[in-house]
Every structure is written in structure tokens, then in C-alpha cells.
Amino acid sequence: MENKKCIVMQIIYFLGSSCMFYLSLAVAVENVAVLEPLAETNSMQTYIVWVEKPPSNFLAQSDHEDLESWYQSFLPQTIANSNQLMKPRMVYAYRNVATGFAAKLTAEEVEEMEKKDGFISAHPERNLQLHTTHSPNFLGLQQGLGLWKGSNYGEGVIIGLLDTGIFPDHPSFSDEGVPPPPAKWKGKCDFRGTVCNNKLIGARSFDGGKTAGGPPIDDAGHGTHTSSTAGGNFVKGAGVFGMATGTATGMAPHAHLAMYKVCSEQGCFDSDILAAMDTAVDDGVDVLSLSLGGGSAYFYADGIAVGAFGAIQKGIFVSCSAGNEGPDYNTLSNEAPWILTVGASTIDRSIRATAKLGNGQEYDGESVFQPKDFSSKQLPLVYAGAHSHDSSALCDVGSLKNVEGKVVVCEVGGGIGRIAKGVEVKRAGGVAMILVNPDFAGYTTIADAHVLPATHVSYSAGVSIKTYINSTSTPTATIFFKGTVIGDQLAPKVSFFSSRGPSLASPGILKPDIIGPGVSILAAWPFSVDNATESKATFNIISGTSMSCPHLSGIVALLKSSHPDWSPAAIKSAIMTTAEVNNLAGSAIMDETLFAADLFAIGAGHVNPSKANDPGLIYDTQPEEYIPYLCGLNYTDKQIAVITQKSVKCSEVGAIPEAQLNYPTFSLVIDPAGKPQKYTRTVTNVGPAKSTYELAVVSPHKIDISVQPEEFTFTEINQTMTYHVVFTAQKGAAKDGITFSQGYLSWVSRQHSVRSQISVIFDT
């Protein structure tokens, strides 16, 4: 990333570029102008500075003024020459989700600042990346049924999204049927006129300290798409190029939306994200949704983790995308246990385009653009990389020659967008394109709005197609467009790009937490994606964990509307312990290879909104309970103070192992020859007052599990009970070469099954 650290949260935004994007959330801040000579700015960059709470001698004025004075006391004290051009040094002053500020500083000035009492730490800001008609039905959300039964559409809940902005005039943001926002709302709308309404109740921009930098217009499309996915209203007749048609709606169609624009062409910067989160908390949001991220980081050095902890202290739920760096392990973003980390999966719909070769073989793929007049006649077929270098195989800009009138096979990847590859094929005179996956992408295919007839096929299909090309001197092919096909019994599948655990920042917490729809998702778009027809689509189909995150954010809004007294941890537990682990066919959820996905790909499993509304038991955690966990990560007292905004002494609080946190899952690293590992969990009854739960265990390979007690009998709602669990490696563990295994622990009653996934890595 560049020296200016923005959180370029990855939104898996497979619009035809290989980039992924995710974002959403907001915060309240103040701009403080401290003038310093402009001559110094050449070596300056924006730093995030963490400090302690102000001492008693700063408490004479209002809290807001106290913090301003306190923060300014850390800035360089220079005497301005009247002939020098001056420029503000402080960018943001945070006061809700963090104790600190963002300022333009040199490395030398930061070094001097370290000598001042109350200083904790400083680091350059990170630049982060951005990481529907059918997905509600796929999730069991239908009018009058499931979690939407009784007209629970998220009324009264405010979702704050940190993203690229929003297109306010889109019909998805109509306020038809949406009540006025709750009285607690204090936010602003930076759009002129009456654009904001009962649906879109807030709109702010954050750009390097310019909190009033104009309306948050969405020039990229990402923010409009995520906003409508989370809380877009019902829009009949939605579709793209006549595909995926139906009624488009978000997960919480009557929830309120507030957009905090933190991303631009330059990225998503840490200081802006923290400022937006700070403002959102002050405004009164209930849910923060961020489809963006910047890779693994210590929690005290991760602006999103710090801001999210400040949010959950005020009862605000934070949902973030997991990242688009899969299928490799250890590639997660947003790993803090107080954040819901969301991976991406498929739905049972495809926009089918089938490549038919001259030998009669057919290979199904996908494309949103499906021309009705494309000839079924076999056309000359050529592999772009047959006689040249890698850039030709990737169909890079300007790389293709001698493809006039041919169907061109292009490799996916290389940092070149899928749609951009089609642009190059069309420029060079090709009439159609077959996109083939690299091996790591497996069977994940994406429906894109291509500029010419095209299909995106699997790696296996690509190998067969290239083998056919090499087997004859006159290879031919065509593409048949079959439209929208619903009913893939292997759905949901984990997409190849969805980032995987285990967590680097905290291996003792299983991440991602959950997976949700993130592949070929239809939602609102601010401008036409029409590339080759006269139709003007106001929707678009794109992919990424940026798409799965707002699905969960909207579901959280429904749960908060249904259970306003539940804490963020309680809602998270309900989502995780009721998740599905099987696909529509009843077999284990698969990944992009069509083999069973492991827990580092699916976490607790695939979200089931209706079951989450009635989980039976929950694993609740209060904000202060994270402090012993942070001590157990060997963070210093000052580093923990950055996160918690309070003085902490681990010597007094004590430390716990990561797996001792009252989390709904277990992630264990076990020495095969070591001692047994013992942990406790506490569950709260939110089901029937009188209920009995019995233990059911499937042990990971070569692990013995002992649980006491093996049965719970509750007599009251909100009654709590604690169980103790011991994990012991069996003799010979890991000697058979199996170093990872998984299982689960469930509490089962007549009405509920409360499942906790267990992952085990043998430390060899």
C-alpha cells in the first residue's frame, strides 16, 4: 500500500476487474486546524496517533473542548512566520470510537511526540481496498414467511455503510412503506434538496479532513450496490440485460440507511474510515457495514478493529467483509472477535452461457450479456496464448493479433479485469470470448456484463478446451446463451476468492465467522452497464466478499428489529450457532474444487436468517470480557488502552488463552504430546423458559473431547449455565500425516440445535 494508509477494503468486486472492494460504517469527528509552515509538508504523511484520556487539568471545559485541547498539546509547537504559507496539520479528532487523532506529521515530529506524557503510539495510516433479485429467496426471506413473517422488514433499525457513496435517486432507495427514523437519529444529509427521505436518512463524505466536502455521490457503483443489498426497498421488474429478473430487495427493505463515503479513486484511508465510524456512532446508527479491509494486523494497529470496539461498547453491531485473497490460507482481513467476519458463497442461480466445441463437447459457463442474435454457427477458435507470451494469454491491452472473426480463449487473472479482456478481444476483431479459470479458481465462475458474446468457464473446462484446440488444425466453437437457471443443488459453494483462515492476528479464534451470498449478486447501480444493447440497466451483477457483507448486515438489522435487547455478541452467536453446514443436496458445503470446504473457508457455516431468529441458546460476551483475552495476546497495557479507551493493567486483570473467550466456536492449536486443553463456555437461554438440552459431539480426528455437564435443564428465560470442555490429543496424533481436523459440539433440545464448530491444528 502507499505511504498514505487508507483502508482499501476489498470488495470482491468482480465487475470485470480483478480488484475486490468492501466497505461501510461511520463515525463522528471534529476538524481542528493547527497551522504550520507548508514547507514542512513535503516529508509529511497522515499518522494515526493514539493517546491516553486527558488528565484532570484538562477537564475544566466541555468534554469536546477538552479533547481538542488535549490532542493539540501533542502537535509540534512552531512559530509561524507571517511570510510562510500555512496549512492545517490536524485532519481528524476522534471522540466516540477511539481516543486519538489523525494529523499530517513527519517521522521526526512523531519521534518528538513519543516523549510526551499521555502518548501511546502512532503509525502511518493504511490505504485499504474495497473488498438482489434472488438471494433473499435463497436465504428463505419471502414476504410473510421466515424472518420476514409478520412484516418484520427491519423497521426502526439504522444501517450505516462506509463505502464509495450512493446514488440517492435509485428506486431501491424509495421510502415507500418506510416509517420515519427513530428520534435518536442525529445524522445529516449532504445531498441538496429533498433527496434524503425515510429510507436514505443520512449521507456524509470524508476525504482527508474535509467532512463537508460535498455530497457523497457514488462514482464507482460499489456503495450503491452494497447499500441496496443491505436495505434496499422492493423494486419490481429488476434485472440486467433481461437476466435474473424479478423483484429486487435488500435483506431489510424497511430499515433506514446512512451512507458515509470514505473511498475514492485513491482508496479508502484509515483516517477517513475512523472519522466516519466516529461520526456514525454519534449519529445513532445500529449496524455498521464495511465492505473493505487491508489484510491482517495487530488489533491495536488496525483502525477498523479499534473503531469497531468503540462501536460495540455502545451496542452497535459491526459487520465486515473477510477479503478477496482466497483460496490461500491466512489471507483474512477484519479478524477481531468483536467483528462479524463474512466470507462469500454462491447462490443456486446462474446466468448460463454454454461453449460448444467443434467436437460436440459442451461446457457451461456464465455471462450477464446474452445477445439474442448471436449465431449458433461454429466459428474459428483460437487460444490467445498459443504462440506468444503471457500477456497475450491474459488478453492484456494491445496484446492480441490475428483474431479477426474468431472465438478467443483468454486466461482469467494477471491483474486484468474480465470485462477488460473482452474489450481487448473486441478491439482486435474477435467475435466472442471464452474466459478460462486458472487452477486455483477451480469451478467458481462469475456472471459479468461483457462487451461481446462471452462465457466464463471452470479450470477443468479450460483444460479440455485447450486440449481440443491442440488436437486439430481447425478448431471451432460457438456460445449458446441459456438465460437464468435456478436450482443448483450444490449451492452454496465457497467462492475461490473468499479469504481463508486461520487468523494470523488471533489463531485461537475461528475466522471467518460465517459465509453468505457473494457471487453474481444483483443489486442497484448508479449508471448503465449497457455495453452492447439499447437497454439501460439500473442494476448490476457483481461479486466479492463486499457483496456478502451487506447481506449479513441486513440480516443483523432484521434480528435487531426482532430482538432489540440482544447485544452485538448475542446476535453474532445466533447467526453462527444456527448456520447451515450442508448444501441444498444435503451434502457438506463445497469449495471451488468441489470438495468439502474446511472450517477456515466456511467458519460456522452458511447463514440461515430464520433459524438465527430463534437460536435457543446464545454465547454472550460483554465488551469488558475482551480485556483478559487481549492480555492473553501479550499486548501491552498501552496497546490494549488504544482499543478499549481505558487504562488497563494486565497484571491485575489477568490473561486468558484465546480459546477461553466465550466465543461460539473453538479454534485450537494442540501439541500432540502436550497436556490436555481445558476451557469453559457460558450459554444463555433465549428459547422456551422450560427446556432441556443434551450434548452431541463429533470429535476431530485423533482428539478426545470430554464435556461436563452433558445436559442442561433451564427453568427461566435469560438463565445462564456454564460447561467445561477438555480436549486431549490421542496417542499417535499427527503421526499419520493428518495435521488438521475438525468436528463440532452441539446442544440439542426438542426445538433447537446449537452448534459450535471445532477446528484443530496439530503443532508439529
Side-chain angles (χ1 to χ4, degrees), residues 444-627:
T444 297
T445 56
I446 309 293
D448 288 314
H450 289 291
V451 300
L452 80 172
T455 184
H456 177 190
V457 301
S458 69
Y459 170 70
S460 175
V463 170
S464 297
I465 291 169
K466 286 182 283 187
T467 299
Y468 162 69
I469 291 173
N470 291 331
S471 70
T472 176
S473 59
T474 57
T476 62
T478 190
I479 300 175
F480 290 96
F481 296 100
K482 300 179 179 179
T484 304
V485 179
I486 293 175
D488 179 5
Q489 292 298 296
L490 297 183
K493 299 187 293 289
V494 183
S495 63
F496 83 88
F497 56 75
S498 187
S499 289
R500 268 55 165 190
S503 168
L504 291 174
S506 183
I509 300 295
L510 180 61
K511 291 281 182 169
D513 292 307
I514 199 79
I515 57 173
V519 179
S520 299
I521 301 302
L522 182 144
W525 203 248
F527 42 82
S528 173
V529 297
D530 178 11
N531 293 309
T533 73
E534 295 302 317
S535 64
K536 297 295 180 183
T538 58
F539 292 83
N540 199 7
I541 293 177
I542 59 176
S543 302
T545 56
S546 283
M547 281 64 258
S548 53
C549 171
H551 275 90
L552 269 295
S553 303
I555 290 167
V556 168
L558 296 177
L559 294 172
K560 284 187 76 74
S561 180
S562 184
H563 302 281
D565 57 328
W566 281 7
S567 70
I571 293 174
K572 182 176 182 179
S573 172
I575 289 171
M576 293 172 64
T577 61
T578 60
E580 300 289 347
V581 295
N582 292 329
N583 57 28
L584 295 179
S587 57
I589 292 174
M590 300 176 180
D591 62 16
E592 73 286 344
T593 67
L594 298 188
F595 286 96
D598 62 37
L599 297 186
F600 296 132
I602 68 170
H606 190 274
V607 62
N608 183 320
S610 297
K611 285 186 177 180
N613 192 43
D614 182 22
L617 306 176
I618 56 171
Y619 293 81
D620 206 356
T621 304
Q622 299 305 312
E624 61 270 14
E625 295 178 61
Y626 291 106
I627 295 176

Side-chain angles (χ1 to χ4, degrees), residues 36-52:
E36 295 295 337
L38 184 62
E40 296 182 9
T41 63
N42 291 336
S43 59
M44 290 180 186
Q45 57 182 316
T46 300
Y47 280 81
I48 307 294
V49 181
W50 305 123
V51 299
E52 296 174 356

Side-chain angles (χ1 to χ4, degrees), residues 224-279:
T224 299
H225 198 279
T226 57
S227 297
S228 64
T229 300
N233 212 333
F234 297 99
V235 181
K236 295 180 180 179
V240 181
F241 297 140
M243 299 297 109
T245 55
T247 297
T249 178
M251 299 297 101
H254 287 177
H256 309 287
L257 298 175
M259 170 54 65
Y260 302 85
K261 182 174 181 177
V262 297
C263 298
S264 65
E265 292 180 357
Q266 287 71 45
C268 317
F269 291 97
D270 250 343
S271 61
D272 295 329
I273 291 168
L274 264 171
M277 295 178 81
D278 202 59
T279 301

Side-chain angles (χ1 to χ4, degrees), residues 176-260:
E176 181 179 354
V178 182
K184 68 173 183 175
W185 175 248
K186 299 188 297 182
K188 299 178 181 179
C189 178
D190 288 341
F191 286 113
R192 293 185 178 89
T194 58
V195 170
C196 286
N197 54 23
N198 288 338
K199 164 57 69 177
L200 179 60
I201 62 173
R204 306 287 300 276
S205 292
F206 297 84
D207 181 12
K210 298 188 287 292
T211 55
I217 296 172
D218 186 7
D219 298 320
H222 189 267
T224 299
H225 198 279
T226 57
S227 297
S228 64
T229 300
N233 212 333
F234 297 99
V235 181
K236 295 180 180 179
V240 181
F241 297 140
M243 299 297 109
T245 55
T247 297
T249 178
M251 299 297 101
H254 287 177
H256 309 287
L257 298 175
M259 170 54 65
Y260 302 85

Side-chain angles (χ1 to χ4, degrees), residues 77 93 104 116 122 129 131 151 156 165 208 259 282-283 299 370 389 419 430 475 590 622 683 720 729 747:
Q77 301 299 311
K104 300 285 187 181
K116 297 187 177 184
Q129 295 172 319
H131 282 187
S151 297
M259 170 54 65
D282 205 41
D283 287 348
F299 300 146
Q370 303 218 345
H389 45 75
I419 292 176
M590 300 176 180
Q622 299 305 312
V683 292
T720 62
W747 294 101

Side-chain angles (χ1 to χ4, degrees), residues 10 12 19 30 72 75 160 241 285 344 412 416 421 437 448 472 484 506 519 563 593 728:
Q10 301 182 201
I12 291 190
C19 139
E30 291 296 321
Q72 288 184 61
L75 292 173
F241 297 140
V285 303
V412 170
I416 305 155
K421 295 173 188 289
N437 271 346
D448 288 314
T472 176
T484 304
S506 183
V519 179
H563 302 281
T593 67
T728 305

